Amino acid sequence: MVFESRICRLYRSPLHHLQFTLPSPIFKFQNSLFSTSISNYISYTNLLSHLSKTKSLTSALQIHAHLTKLGLSNHSKYRNHLVNLYSKCGIFQYAHKLIDESPEPDLVSWSSLISGYSQNGFGKDAIWGFLKMHSLGLRCNEFTFPSVLKACSIEKELFLGKQLHGVVVVTGFDSDVFVANTLVVMYAKCGEFVDSRMLFEEIPERNVVSWNALFSCYTQNDFFSEAMCMFRDMIGSGVRPDEYSLSNILNACTGLVDIVEGKKIHGYLVKLGYGSDPFSSNALVDMYAKGGDLKDAITAFEGIVVPDIVSWNAIIAGCVLHECQWQAIDMLNQMRRSGIWPNMFTLSSALKACAALELPELGKGLHSLLIKKDIILDPFVSVGLIDMYCKCNLTKDARLIYDLMSGKDLIALNAMISGYSQNEADNACLDLFTQTFTQGIGFDQTTLLAILNSAAGLQAANVCKQVHGLSVKSGFLCDTFVINSLVDSYGKCTQLDDAARIFYECPTLDLPSFTSLITAYALLGQGEEAMKLYLKLQDMDLKPDSFVCSSLLNACANLSAYEQGKQIHAHVLKFGFMSDVFAGNSLVNMYAKCGSIEDASCAFHEVPKKGIVSWSAMIGGLAQHGHAKQALHLFGEMLKGDISPNHITLVSVLYACNHAGLVAEAKKYFETMKDSFRIEPTQEHYACMIDVLGRAGKLDDAIELVNKMPFEANASVWGALLGAARIHKNVEVGKHAAEMLFSLEPEKSGTHVLLANIYASVGLWGDVAKVRRFMKNSRVKKEPGMSWIEVKDSIYTFIVGDRSHPRSDDIYAKLEELGQLMAKAGYVPMVDIDLHDVERRQKEILLSYHSEKLAVAFGMIATPPGAPIRVKKNLRICLDCHTAFKFICKIVSREIIIRDINRFHHFKDGSCSCGDYW
């Protein structure tokens, strides 16, 4: 009676003050209701049944109080109804009190309690209730068995479920369709699908609930095809599906991404009159969105009269899936205006949209909404926040979220590590992995890919080797993605032998495998190997993609392989990659570096959506070819198109000014780049500007600029100053610049050679001899000059005095012939630039056999008359060769294009495109 008294104290309001709405046939308040007649008994039981269905706890407590006042609360029927009502509402302590105060055990009360536990997901408590009831001598009936079996399903208690199955058979309840259906579900949810299907087949009169029970389990366990087959069998057996059947089978269509079958189920919904069912409507939205038809998903969503949170979540997630990020944000705003607050699933989709759009402020707003609503961040949302902050380049905020996570798992670690890697925070990426590796979180494919990407960014070959070893030990070396990433990382760390070994040991080579190694070869100047690999790719009948073609075009650019580049261009056309921006940019770059600025210009104009890379490639190409005014004009056109330059573009602009001697223009761009374009000058920009001033004879201004640099000058800056000193024969400046270079790059022979040239130009032969002795004693070897020429898809290499070519006799004969013709035209060998300690005649012979002269002579005899000759050289073209080619091009009436380490020289009609300013 203690419990009854408490109820009465809590609720003392008269019965006519109760606030609820009931159908008039069930409850009509009249004064006679307070009597103890049988009509009152029926009214109270109907009222309590209705309150159980609606889970109206407040009204139920008031009714309980009035029953207690009237002395009716001990009546078994009322008590059973109250136990059922409290159990369904999850107020189990009240239900227990009523059962405990019952004079004798009651099967109905215990069944209600067990049912309440099961319906509210408390499987263990339901099983406890069953065992307690069993100990009191009560036997289960057709109402108790389904609740206990459901509890076994929740807790995956297969052993107890099988015991109950035995009891069901012994007591004869296996013929009850509801008990049989629950058994089918119990076995399926415990993973015993064979037994589940056998039980299903043994049900004599299967109803729609029986069918729903099995194929809903199939759907929940991702056996979508089996669920579809079951649904077809159900239709074939003549059983009419209900809304639960259709919403479940729509989920199966979603899992199979089968929009055709999904549309058929949509037809069933309309035909059978379930079009307004909220569960089916939400499933339709989800099916269309995940099936690839966002338009129909939106139509289905708009057909829902009152969308609930599930409806909004489905359409917002669908918009994000289809990369309609702004539409997802708009849907989120509409949802909030409709009065529905987002939950964690909504916010997770919204965070993905913010990440894709790189909207940090909106992302922070969503984060603050989570905090204001006091929503506890589950791992799923925390990972969404980490991903959003990383993609908005806010790795510090992302790390704060990661550090605040109580239970860090592998998914969170991968999100943080990948975020670091994507934002080029490579050291932080490796540090975090090192920390967590010892904590036992583990790693997977995604972790290794991020680590390898950061190792490549740092060019940390030792890290690549460690990850390689870890992949072997953990079994991930059989994963194609890891293999390709290893090839890529080794290549970027200049470990081509390791990259090639991984590639050739791979049992299943695919297109990304080829792309990784071809790209590595192209980046490291191994263009011939890249082309050989491409031929192997074609032999395997693999169709190249735009990335392969881009890498091959870059390889051709590095080799100055014009003809092979044209063939790759043909493949780009053949495979339909002309609309690809990467392939288009690579074509511009290839033609520019192969000496055909006209073809580069054509390729540039065909790029559909020109970005900064497209403009930079074309501007840089024009600058290298000596077309400074066109380069600067194109830069102006780019700015008019509201495209902001990057640091590479401005290097090209300064380069153009440099080689055209446009000092004032160069100073204007250099001095305003920070204010106009928000770009801080780098070492490259300073080197270009110092070169501009030095070549123009403003050595004092150049030295002053070096002294004003906000950081220590690197080798490129001092190299520019040394080159300027050579041009203007300034020994003092040249000596100072050389001394700085000796400390920065002691192994480079070019510094010694240029310094010796400066000494020789002013007749300081004693100093020249000192430089030569120093080089000899220090074992510093002069880098040999090498030249390449492409003839009929083959690349031929020449070095000074080379006689290894099969047509050497013809080549040297051609040089002899050209020498005689040049002498008649007034050419005099510039022996002063040769530093060898030999007689003049010997110097003349050495000069005549420079690698670029050999390559040009071979081009004369191996290519059709009148065709341009294209040669690439690894060093700066010497003054004598530059002079000689001006004579040769006029004598033979052919254009000679030399690409040296600095720029292109187009020799035509007796002059060079550089205007003798290089």
Side-chain angles (χ1 to χ4, degrees):
M1 290 303 293
V2 174
F3 177 56
E4 306 292 351
S5 302
R6 184 181 174 196
I7 291 293
C8 289
R9 286 199 304 272
L10 285 172
Y11 291 92
R12 299 185 182 278
S13 58
L15 191 60
H16 59 271
H17 285 160
L18 293 180
Q19 300 296 315
F20 45 73
T21 305
L22 295 171
S24 55
I26 295 178
F27 189 48
K28 293 181 180 178
F29 287 112
Q30 296 175 353
N31 291 332
S32 61
L33 186 64
F34 296 100
S35 68
T36 56
S37 65
I38 190 65
S39 61
N40 295 339
Y41 165 77
I42 295 170
S43 298
Y44 274 115
T45 55
N46 289 343
L47 174 59
L48 287 168
S49 295
H50 179 81
L51 294 176
S52 294
K53 290 177 183 178
T54 58
K55 296 184 179 181
S56 303
L57 179 61
T58 303
S59 299
L61 289 167
Q62 292 176 344
I63 291 292
H64 189 174
H66 284 285
L67 287 171
T68 302
K69 282 184 179 180
L70 296 171
L72 300 175
S73 60
N74 287 328
H75 195 290
S76 61
K77 288 290 183 181
Y78 293 137
R79 184 175 61 251
N80 290 339
H81 276 289
L82 285 167
V83 170
N84 181 49
L85 192 151
Y86 287 138
S87 298
K88 284 187 176 179
C89 291
I91 311 300
F92 296 109
Q93 65 270 31
Y94 285 7
H96 270 290
K97 284 282 187 181
L98 287 168
I99 291 175
D100 291 342
E101 292 179 0
S102 174
E104 59 184 26
D106 189 288
L107 178 61
V108 177
S109 293
W110 278 102
S111 295
S112 297
L113 180 66
I114 294 167
S115 175
Y117 277 133
S118 294
Q119 288 175 10
N120 285 281
F122 299 112
K124 288 182 179 178
D125 294 302
I127 292 170
W128 170 86
F130 162 70
L131 295 173
K132 181 70 174 176
M133 182 191 83
H134 189 70
S135 69
L136 294 172
L138 297 173
R139 298 287 177 261
C140 291
N141 61 14
E142 68 272 25
F143 301 107
T144 319
F145 277 123
S147 297
V148 184
L149 287 167
K150 183 177 180 179
C152 293
S153 300
I154 294 169
E155 298 300 323
K156 303 292 188 290
E157 280 282 357
L158 180 62
F159 182 72
L160 178 60
K162 285 184 175 181
Q163 289 180 315
L164 284 169
H165 186 183
V167 176
V168 167
V169 173
V170 170
T171 53
F173 286 112
D174 55 332
S175 60
D176 183 273
V177 69
F178 295 105
V179 176
N181 291 343
T182 318
L183 276 168
V184 168
V185 173
M186 186 274 296
Y187 276 108
K189 291 200 171 179
C190 288
E192 301 292 327
F193 283 95
V194 175
D195 290 339
S196 177
R197 185 63 182 263
M198 286 175 61
L199 280 170
F200 173 80
E201 298 293 346
E202 290 173 3
I203 298 175
E205 294 183 8
R206 295 188 287 268
N207 59 14
V208 68
V209 178
S210 311
W211 290 92
N212 289 349
L214 190 56
F215 67 66
S216 68
C217 289
Y218 278 140
T219 303
Q220 289 165 14
N221 286 275
D222 296 344
F223 297 137
F224 304 120
S225 297
E226 290 81 354
M228 293 296 297
C229 290
M230 288 288 295
F231 179 73
R232 294 189 190 101
D233 290 346
M234 182 181 80
I235 298 297
S237 69
V239 176
R240 172 177 167 159
D242 60 11
E243 64 272 33
Y244 186 75
S245 320
L246 296 173
S247 63
N248 260 296
I249 212 64
L250 278 171
N251 292 333
C253 294
T254 303
L256 292 169
V257 196
D258 190 344
I259 199 168
V260 176
E261 284 297 325
K263 287 184 176 181
K264 291 179 183 177
I265 306 303
H266 190 176
Y268 273 114
L269 277 171
V270 176
K271 180 180 178 182
L272 299 176
Y274 299 130
S276 59
D277 173 63
F279 296 102
S280 301
S281 298
N282 293 339
L284 263 180
V285 175
D286 193 46
M287 183 275 295
Y288 278 122
K290 291 178 180 174
D293 194 333
L294 183 61
K295 185 178 178 182
D296 280 347
I298 292 171
T299 303
F301 173 78
E302 290 172 346
I304 301 173
V305 180
V306 183
D308 58 14
I309 186 66
V310 179
S311 319
W312 286 104
N313 284 348
I315 195 62
I316 291 171
C319 290
V320 172
L321 182 67
H322 287 266
E323 298 182 1
C324 299
Q325 320 295 355
W326 284 114
Q327 196 166 4
I329 300 298
D330 182 57
M331 285 289 186
L332 176 66
N333 291 330
Q334 287 184 44
M335 184 187 83
R336 292 185 65 178
R337 286 196 296 269
S338 72
I340 296 178
W341 278 95
N343 62 13
M344 285 188 290
F345 296 103
T346 328
L347 293 172
S348 178
S349 295
L351 287 169
K352 288 179 183 177
C354 293
L357 294 170
E358 296 184 14
L359 296 174
E361 294 308 316
L362 181 57
K364 287 180 179 180
L366 293 171
H367 189 184
S368 66
L369 185 64
L370 284 165
I371 296 168
K372 285 178 184 176
K373 288 292 175 182
D374 202 24
I375 298 174
I376 298 172
L377 294 182
D378 71 349
F380 189 64
V381 177
S382 295
V383 169
L385 282 168
I386 292 169
D387 181 61
M388 182 274 295
Y389 280 125
C390 285
K391 286 181 178 171
C392 292
N393 199 22
L394 297 170
T395 50
K396 288 184 179 179
D397 293 310
R399 182 59 184 266
L400 185 62
I401 298 294
Y402 177 80
D403 289 338
L404 289 173
M405 288 181 69
S406 55
K408 299 178 183 66
D409 58 10
L410 183 56
I411 297 172
L413 173 64
N414 284 344
M416 193 66 245
I417 281 180
S418 299
Y420 275 140
S421 185
Q422 289 159 11
N423 285 285
E424 299 181 2
D426 298 317
N427 284 314
C429 175
L430 299 183
D431 288 344
L432 180 58
F433 178 66
T434 304
Q435 292 169 23
T436 55
F437 185 72
T438 57
Q439 295 171 4
I441 292 179
F443 60 90
D444 62 7
Q445 172 204 76
T446 305
T447 325
L448 295 177
L449 296 181
I451 296 300
L452 285 169
N453 187 53
S454 286
L458 293 169
Q459 293 195 324
N462 61 323
V463 176
C464 287
K465 291 181 185 294
Q466 290 176 45
V467 175
H468 186 178
L470 196 61
S471 302
V472 173
K473 289 180 181 178
S474 57
F476 280 108
L477 198 57
C478 61
D479 183 276
T480 308
F481 292 102
V482 174
I483 291 170
N484 294 340
S485 188
L486 274 168
V487 173
D488 180 65
S489 298
Y490 272 131
K492 288 175 180 174
C493 292
T494 71
Q495 305 295 307
L496 274 179
D497 290 341
D498 290 321
R501 190 178 73 254
I502 295 289
F503 174 83
Y504 286 110
E505 288 176 356
C506 179
T508 53
L509 292 172
D510 58 7
L511 184 59
S513 310
F514 278 93
T515 305
S516 297
L517 191 55
I518 287 171
T519 303
Y521 280 137
L523 283 171
L524 295 171
Q526 302 273 349
E528 293 182 57
E529 294 300 321
M531 296 302 295
K532 287 178 186 176
L533 206 57
Y534 180 59
L535 293 175
K536 182 175 181 177
L537 179 148
Q538 290 180 300
D539 290 341
M540 291 178 64
D541 292 328
L542 289 172
K543 180 184 174 182
D545 60 11
S546 60
F547 295 105
V548 171
C549 290
S550 295
S551 295
L552 289 167
L553 288 167
N554 292 334
C556 293
N558 291 333
L559 288 170
S560 288
Y562 178 71
E563 294 300 327
Q564 291 185 35
K566 286 203 296 185
Q567 290 179 27
I568 303 301
H569 188 174
H571 284 215
V572 170
L573 289 166
K574 177 183 175 181
F575 294 116
F577 299 141
M578 283 305 295
S579 60
D580 183 86
V581 176
F582 296 104
N585 293 341
S586 297
L587 275 171
V588 175
N589 180 58
M590 183 274 294
Y591 279 124
K593 289 185 176 176
C594 287
S596 180
I597 199 66
E598 296 81 9
D599 289 331
S601 182
C602 291
F604 172 75
H605 290 297
E606 288 179 7
V607 176
K609 293 181 180 178
K610 298 177 183 66
I612 186 58
V613 177
S614 317
W615 289 94
S616 295
M618 193 63 219
I619 292 167
L622 288 167
Q624 280 197 323
H625 284 267
H627 303 299
K629 290 183 179 178
Q630 293 96 314
L632 296 177
H633 173 74
L634 194 63
F635 179 64
E637 291 296 310
M638 185 192 83
L639 296 179
K640 287 179 184 176
D642 290 330
I643 295 178
S644 297
N646 59 20
H647 73 282
I648 296 172
T649 324
L650 291 172
V651 167
S652 296
V653 168
L654 293 172
Y655 188 89
C657 294
N658 183 16
H659 288 282
L662 302 174
V663 180
E665 287 84 347
K667 286 183 74 174
K668 181 188 76 172
Y669 289 123
F670 180 79
E671 290 170 357
T672 61
M673 60 188 291
K674 183 177 179 181
D675 293 332
S676 299
F677 309 117
R678 296 181 182 178
I679 296 174
E680 291 280 352
T682 65
Q683 295 272 14
E684 280 185 285
H685 298 114
Y686 276 99
C688 278
M689 193 62 228
I690 288 160
D691 202 23
V692 170
L693 295 169
R695 286 174 185 272
K698 299 179 181 291
L699 288 178
D700 291 339
D701 292 343
I703 293 168
E704 184 183 354
L705 185 59
V706 172
N707 294 331
K708 286 182 177 178
M709 286 177 64
F711 33 70
E712 289 292 324
N714 66 6
S716 63
V717 173
W718 291 113
L721 198 57
L722 179 62
R726 182 196 61 81
I727 292 171
H728 298 287
K729 302 178 182 180
N730 191 312
V731 176
E732 184 183 351
V733 173
K735 189 176 179 181
H736 176 59
E739 287 171 353
M740 298 304 296
L741 284 166
F742 290 151
S743 63
L744 292 170
E745 297 177 337
E747 76 286 353
K748 290 291 180 74
S749 63
T751 306
H752 300 275
V753 173
L754 279 175
L755 181 60
N757 283 336
I758 294 171
Y759 288 145
S761 67
V762 294
L764 297 175
W765 297 106
D767 290 317
V768 172
K770 286 180 184 177
V771 172
R772 288 180 57 79
R773 278 197 302 273
F774 178 81
M775 289 179 68
K776 184 177 180 180
N777 295 335
S778 302
R779 296 184 179 180
V780 176
K781 292 185 178 179
K782 181 180 180 294
E783 184 179 359
M786 298 179 69
S787 296
W788 296 266
I789 184 171
E790 179 191 25
V791 176
K792 295 180 181 177
D793 294 341
S794 295
I795 307 293
Y796 297 91
T797 307
F798 294 91
I799 59 174
V800 63
D802 194 354
R803 289 187 178 271
S804 63
H805 195 279
R807 298 189 65 181
S808 284
D809 292 343
D810 296 333
I811 292 169
Y812 281 90
K814 190 66 177 179
L815 282 175
E816 186 68 28
E817 175 192 335
L818 289 170
Q820 292 174 8
L821 293 171
M822 285 192 294
K824 288 179 182 179
Y827 164 75
V828 177
M830 306 178 75
V831 294
D832 288 350
I833 69 166
D834 189 274
L835 302 180
H836 292 91
D837 188 15
V838 294
E839 297 294 326
R840 178 182 176 85
R841 177 56 189 158
Q842 188 62 31
K843 286 188 176 186
E844 289 179 1
I845 293 171
L846 290 172
L847 286 173
S848 66
Y849 297 158
H850 275 191
S851 64
E852 56 265 54
K853 288 195 179 93
L854 293 171
V856 168
F858 175 62
M860 295 279 186
I861 62 176
T863 59
I869 297 171
R870 306 172 195 275
V871 173
K872 177 189 174 184
K873 186 174 182 182
N874 66 327
L875 303 175
R876 180 180 176 277
I877 186 173
C878 78
L879 185 59
D880 179 73
C881 288
H882 193 273
T883 303
F885 290 143
K886 288 195 289 184
F887 280 94
I888 293 171
C889 72
K890 190 171 184 179
I891 290 168
V892 299
S893 299
R894 293 178 73 166
E895 183 180 11
I896 299 171
I897 304 166
I898 306 293
R899 173 187 169 188
D900 71 6
I901 196 170
N902 289 326
R903 63 174 299 158
F904 280 88
H905 300 264
H906 291 255
F907 297 95
K908 191 174 183 180
D909 299 328
S911 63
C912 179
S913 60
C914 73
D916 297 335
Y917 193 90
W918 85 104

